[in-house]
Amino acid sequence: MTTSKTTDVDILIVGAGPAGLSAALVLGRQQRRVLLVDDGRPRNASVTEMHMYLSRDGDDPAHLRTLAYGEVAGHPNVTVRSGEVTAITGSAGGFHARVVPSGDRSSAEDVDSRIVLLAGGITDDVSGLPGLAERWGRDVHHCAYCHGFESLARQVGVLARTPADIMLSRYIADRFSSDVTVFTGGLGSDDDTAAMISETRARGVRIHPRTPVGLEGRPGRPSIRVAEEGTDGGQDREFEIVFHRPPERQSNTLAEQLGCALTDDGLIAVTPTMTTSVPGVFAAGDAARNPDSPAPMQFVASAVADGQRASVWIEQDLFLKQ
């Protein structure tokens, strides 16, 4: 692998999602030298509508990215690279990163940066169920806040991976639809789960105890194939929309490389100023969470706010140490 000359910047931002782009815009306005690197694989790549973003409810998230790139491009001190940050070493005031371009994996760029902002997001693991990846973000969704309204008065299926998903089915039944079925196969039968299932059934949610083995059907009419006793497949149950919360993971290993502390759910632990446990390293967006927060807030609007919050404190850090 060949290496080009070293690029020297104030801030290296990894990830051009809502958090990274928001931070790049703020820091560009503050006349900081910024390098923004993105691998072109946004978490919501398959989604055509985003919700709960004021003035953009129902808009395509790709359109938001296009608008944001245009605004960032108005600041010549912000450079955008299409590629992957494969390694970061060093410490506050002197980080060293390796950037591999998307179009030429045989070459690399070395980057020296005073501050690092990790905004690479997370990846949803939709590989575990046949047909899930093809429907993900189209008629299978993970968030009842983001897409619950679109299930209003529709036939809804919920694929339960954890006991908390039983509560998700009850919430959808309470807010949006009287026709909700939750598939509980594989959850186990401990007393707490059994009690939760019983209470959910009493609230009008249908309980299907078999294990889903695949998703089929035409667009907008997802069918959940369930396992019958002693077989690998069985009857299909057709719905209009399905909810499922798959396992998620960091989209890269940079937080681990740098030694950043993680929360119990595998997100980068941050303070209210978006600093991590490693001096000079900040994190924002879906990949980060304040451990004092009861749950992740993985929305487009909150990611934008995270990026703005991180950039303000990054600017203060740089200003006070110059």
Side-chain angles (χ1 to χ4, degrees), residues 27-141:
L27 291 165
R29 289 175 56 84
Q30 309 316 121
Q31 302 299 293
R32 294 297 178 181
R33 295 169 302 145
V34 179
L35 177 62
L36 174 63
V37 182
D38 187 74
D39 62 9
R41 298 193 295 264
R43 182 186 186 188
N44 58 4
S46 61
V47 177
T48 58
E49 293 183 4
M50 64 180 188
H51 297 286
M52 302 190 304
Y53 193 109
L54 196 62
S55 84
R56 292 287 185 269
D57 191 55
D59 199 4
D60 189 329
H63 182 225
L64 177 67
R65 288 193 293 271
T66 298
L67 293 174
Y69 272 114
E71 293 176 351
V72 168
H75 299 278
N77 49 315
V78 178
T79 301
V80 179
R81 291 272 194 277
S82 175
E84 180 182 359
V85 179
T86 58
I88 303 178
T89 58
S91 57
F95 291 103
H96 310 283
R98 176 61 62 91
V99 178
V100 178
S102 296
D104 184 7
R105 304 292 296 182
S106 65
S107 66
E109 177 182 4
D110 284 335
V111 177
D112 288 341
S113 177
R114 297 168 64 188
I115 296 285
V116 171
L117 172 59
L118 300 177
I122 61 173
T123 298
D124 296 298
D125 184 358
V126 293
S127 63
L129 191 65
L132 177 59
E134 294 80 2
R135 312 189 78 105
W136 186 245
R138 295 178 173 89
D139 49 28
V140 180
H141 303 284

Side-chain angles (χ1 to χ4, degrees), residues 74-282:
H75 299 278
N77 49 315
V78 178
T79 301
V80 179
R81 291 272 194 277
S82 175
E84 180 182 359
V85 179
T86 58
I88 303 178
T89 58
S91 57
F95 291 103
H96 310 283
R98 176 61 62 91
V99 178
V100 178
S102 296
D104 184 7
R105 304 292 296 182
S106 65
S107 66
E109 177 182 4
D110 284 335
V111 177
D112 288 341
S113 177
R114 297 168 64 188
I115 296 285
V116 171
L117 172 59
L118 300 177
I122 61 173
T123 298
D124 296 298
D125 184 358
V126 293
S127 63
L129 191 65
L132 177 59
E134 294 80 2
R135 312 189 78 105
W136 186 245
R138 295 178 173 89
D139 49 28
V140 180
H141 303 284
H142 79 290
C143 177
Y145 278 92
C146 298
H147 299 283
F149 184 77
E150 282 63 45
S151 70
L152 195 65
R154 301 175 77 185
Q155 295 172 297
V156 180
V158 178
L159 302 175
R161 185 178 63 86
T162 70
D165 296 325
I166 302 173
M167 188 62 71
L168 170 64
S169 70
R170 189 192 303 180
Y171 180 79
I172 293 170
D174 180 80
R175 296 287 84 205
F176 305 111
S177 173
S178 61
D179 190 348
V180 180
T181 301
V182 59
F183 292 78
T184 60
L187 285 183
S189 56
D190 61 89
D191 291 344
D192 288 342
T193 301
M196 190 179 295
I197 289 174
S198 178
E199 173 65 17
T200 299
R201 181 185 286 113
R203 298 292 183 93
V205 176
R206 297 184 184 87
I207 308 296
H208 199 299
R210 299 295 186 199
T211 302
V213 294
L215 282 162
E216 302 172 347
R218 66 184 187 275
R221 296 295 300 186
S223 295
I224 299 175
R225 177 163 286 269
V226 295
E228 299 294 348
E229 291 286 354
T231 70
D232 293 329
Q235 185 178 8
D236 288 349
R237 299 296 179 93
E238 188 177 78
F239 299 93
E240 294 175 272
I241 187 170
V242 170
F243 286 87
H244 176 55
R245 297 189 287 197
E248 58 185 45
R249 64 179 186 276
Q250 293 285 325
S251 65
N252 56 59
T253 63
L254 298 176
E256 181 181 355
Q257 289 181 30
L258 288 162
C260 298
L262 303 180
T263 62
D264 291 341
D265 48 4
L267 301 179
I268 305 169
V270 293
T271 68
T273 58
M274 312 310 292
T275 55
T276 71
S277 62
V278 177
V281 179
F282 293 70

